[in-house]
Amino acid sequence: MKDRFNLYRFASPATFYPFAGALIPYFVAVSVVFGLAGLWLGMLVAPTDFQQGEGYRIIFIHVPASWMSMFIYLVMAGWAAIGLAFNTRLSGMMAQALAPTGALMAFLSLLTGALWGKPMWGAWWVWDARLTSELILLFLYIGYMALTAAIDDARRADKAGGLLLLVGVVNIPIIYFSVKWWNTLHQGSSVNLAKSSMATTMLWGMLLMAMCFWMYSIAIALMRVRTIMLERERNTDWVKAELLGNSAGGKK
Amino acid sequence: MLKIITAVIGRDLKLAMRRQADIVSALFFFVIVVSLFPLGIGPEPDLLRKLAPGVLWVAALLATMLSLPRLFADDHRDGTLEQLALAPHPLGLVVTGKVIAHWLVSGLPLALIAPVLGIQFDLSTDALIVLTFAILIGTPALSGIGAIGAALTLGLRGGGVLLSLLVLPLYIPVLIFGAGAVDATVAGLGGEGHLSLLAALTFASLGFAPWASAAALKIALE
């Protein structure tokens, strides 16, 4: 193990556990810094929208949460694909660790959307393609969590859940392109690499908040994956050593 | 390839014929649920006509769901499924046969009875024809997607409830286009666009779903 750095080493829970533990404080710190900067820029600096007044400021939660809800699903599906293809243990744990955060993001996206929709559209909920597909995404997360929770054997749970994730991934492009394909009430995308239709400070505020959410998701997923590892590997020596606190963790 | 599929269809149909109560009960469920709506809503023809496509489609979805757990459960219990998985031909073909057989005993009867139920909702002849077509075209997709859910929940406790949680979100596109076709006809716009999309969904799910289900079955059989 001394000769050279080997990435595959971290595929083992015993080595990944302390590694994840060491990373978590950094992600938390970065998330807090981005969050404070984003909130400051979004709530205090960004100008009032000429059309929507101050109400638009919920965008700084709504858009990052929606992005993360889709992105986390894709990451989970990616882990699922790796897990099914290479039969790795860690990928299933990562997918399971990400699921509650993804569900939370989808829920936040729907909730802030409803709170935003009431003053702007005059309705909490409209049967619009984007709203409906985001709701389906929330159901997919819940379905995944219910399926993995219902299967006692962890390996089978990972595989069955992974397959469900891969089947459900068709929903992601539907959500993403729904504002283009169906011209309904939900406004089109206002972020564009070439030319954005929003003020620069708004855009930056939103991007900073997105980074904050991203880092938060990584931190919380790592925390959760550590718990899952302890639970699944409870019969191994390294977990016993870890829990007894007589080692720095992961020492072979 | 075709021989395997037809053999599986023939076998499953024979098994279904030996237990006709299962087919009839799902069909009765459909009839009763649809008939309850006019009683609950009241006799206003305009309102009923507006509700009909959605009510009929949701009831069709639920009736399909009712028979899904049995798709693999019996074969799993008596060991047939393991034998089929061990056989030299691909499991996906076997699942294709089972999906088609499932549609013949669950989806097809629904489509045949749907126009009769549509009359309760005061639908016009055009709308009834489109409704029948939509259910005829759309229900194979329901059987295909449902097979994935049935394979994933095979042998789990509380599998039936879990199955609905997994499968119903994936049914939403079929529901939207199926009910949309009838809605568009009632509105005088013509339902061809919706029917084409429905047919596309059916072909896509019949092409992919059996292989996803086969993968899920292999996980369940491990």
Side-chain angles (χ1 to χ4, degrees), chain A residues 84 132 136 139-140 142-144 146-147 149-152 155-156 159-161 163-164 167-168 170 174 182, chain B residues 148 151-157 162 165-166 169-170 172-173 176-177 212-213 215-217 219-222:
Chain A
L84 287 175
T132 312
I136 300 175
F139 291 154
L140 287 175
I142 294 173
Y144 171 80
L147 180 66
I151 304 176
D152 292 325
R155 303 286 290 154
R156 193 189 157 189
K159 285 186 178 172
L163 198 74
L164 181 69
V167 170
V170 286
I174 296 179
W182 291 278
Chain B
I148 305 177
L152 281 173
T153 55
L154 190 60
L156 299 182
R157 67 193 131 74
L162 191 58
L165 190 61
L166 299 185
L170 300 173
I172 290 174
I176 290 174
F177 294 122
S213 315
L217 286 178
I219 294 166
L221 289 174
E222 243 171 39

Side-chain angles (χ1 to χ4, degrees), chain A residues 17 230 237-251:
Chain A
Y17 183 88
L230 288 184
D237 288 340
W238 74 266
V239 171
K240 273 181 203 134
E242 183 68 37
L243 292 183
L244 289 171
N246 58 4
S247 94
K251 217 166 56 183

Side-chain angles (χ1 to χ4, degrees), chain A residues 6-24:
Chain A
N6 185 354
L7 197 64
Y8 296 111
R9 209 160 68 81
F10 293 112
S12 149
T15 44
F16 191 75
Y17 183 88
F19 178 63
L23 286 180
I24 288 170

